[in-house]
């Protein structure tokens, strides 16, 4: 079995998304090339595909984490206010209304979708967590 990684995406402290070839480490700057990449996973809060995750009054640092489902149609985010939100993916329009929202007791700094067969299944999982 041979496995190779073609690209890696990095989010910087200055809120810029940078894409690199692996293993050369060469930064990709041609947007047309970057747009054609199909990502195996998505855990970034940066990019045109996730512009809608910020509420109207949120600052960039307020949304800490994001994860796209394996099917590529759902996006879950976590923020400084303890909110876990479910969106359609991609969500390229600003200020998208969330499909589902759950409040935790603390800031959410990391989140992953491990297994989910549908949006309804994901909402049932969230509802049963009782955080």
């Amino acid at each position: 079995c041979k496995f190779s990684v073609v690209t890696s995406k990095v989010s910087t402290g200055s809120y810029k998304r940078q894409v690199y070839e692996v293993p050369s480490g060469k930064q990709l700057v041609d947007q047309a090339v970057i747009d054609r990449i199909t990502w195996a996973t998505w855990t970034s809060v940066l990019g045109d595909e996730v512009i809608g995750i910020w509420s109207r009054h949120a600052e960039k640092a307020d949304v800490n984490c994001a994860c796209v489902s394996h099917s590529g149609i759902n996006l879950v985010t976590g923020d400084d206010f303890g909110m876990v939100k479910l969106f359609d993916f991609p969500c390229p329009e600003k200020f998208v209304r969330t499909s589902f929202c759950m409040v935790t007791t603390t800031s959410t700094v990391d989140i992953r979708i491990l297994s989910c067969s549908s949006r309804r299944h994901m909402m049932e999982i969230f509802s049963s967590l009782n955080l």
Side-chain angles (χ1 to χ4, degrees):
C1 179
K2 185 176 181 183
F3 178 78
S4 63
V5 177
V6 178
T7 54
S8 179
K9 180 172 35 178
V10 177
S11 300
T12 70
S14 60
Y15 301 102
K16 294 181 182 173
R17 179 174 68 166
Q18 298 175 340
V19 179
Y20 295 89
E21 288 181 335
V22 175
S24 72
K26 178 184 172 194
Q27 184 175 2
L28 296 176
V29 292
D30 184 347
Q31 192 60 46
V33 171
I34 294 169
D35 289 344
R36 287 193 306 267
I37 296 171
T38 300
W39 298 99
T41 60
W42 185 291
T43 57
S44 178
V45 297
L46 300 178
D48 293 339
E49 301 86 346
V50 294
I51 288 174
I53 65 176
W54 282 277
S55 63
R56 192 168 304 280
H57 303 290
E59 297 178 12
K60 285 185 178 179
D62 290 342
V63 181
N64 301 315
C65 53
C67 185
V68 173
S69 64
H70 295 291
S71 63
I73 60 171
N74 297 306
L75 169 72
V76 64
T77 64
D79 64 31
D80 280 347
F81 310 106
M83 304 291 275
V84 175
K85 298 177 182 177
L86 179 64
F87 297 92
D88 290 331
F89 183 81
C91 55
E93 301 297 323
K94 288 185 176 182
F95 317 124
V96 172
R97 289 183 55 112
T98 182
S99 303
F100 184 82
C101 184
M102 178 177 85
V103 180
T104 64
T105 56
T106 61
S107 172
T108 307
V109 295
D110 196 14
I111 196 161
R112 294 290 181 272
I113 300 172
L114 300 177
S115 176
C116 188
S117 58
S118 68
R119 175 182 216 76
R120 181 176 176 199
H121 181 218
M122 187 178 299
M123 290 173 31
E124 288 170 359
I125 291 169
F126 284 156
S127 296
S128 69
L129 289 176
N130 295 322
L131 296 176

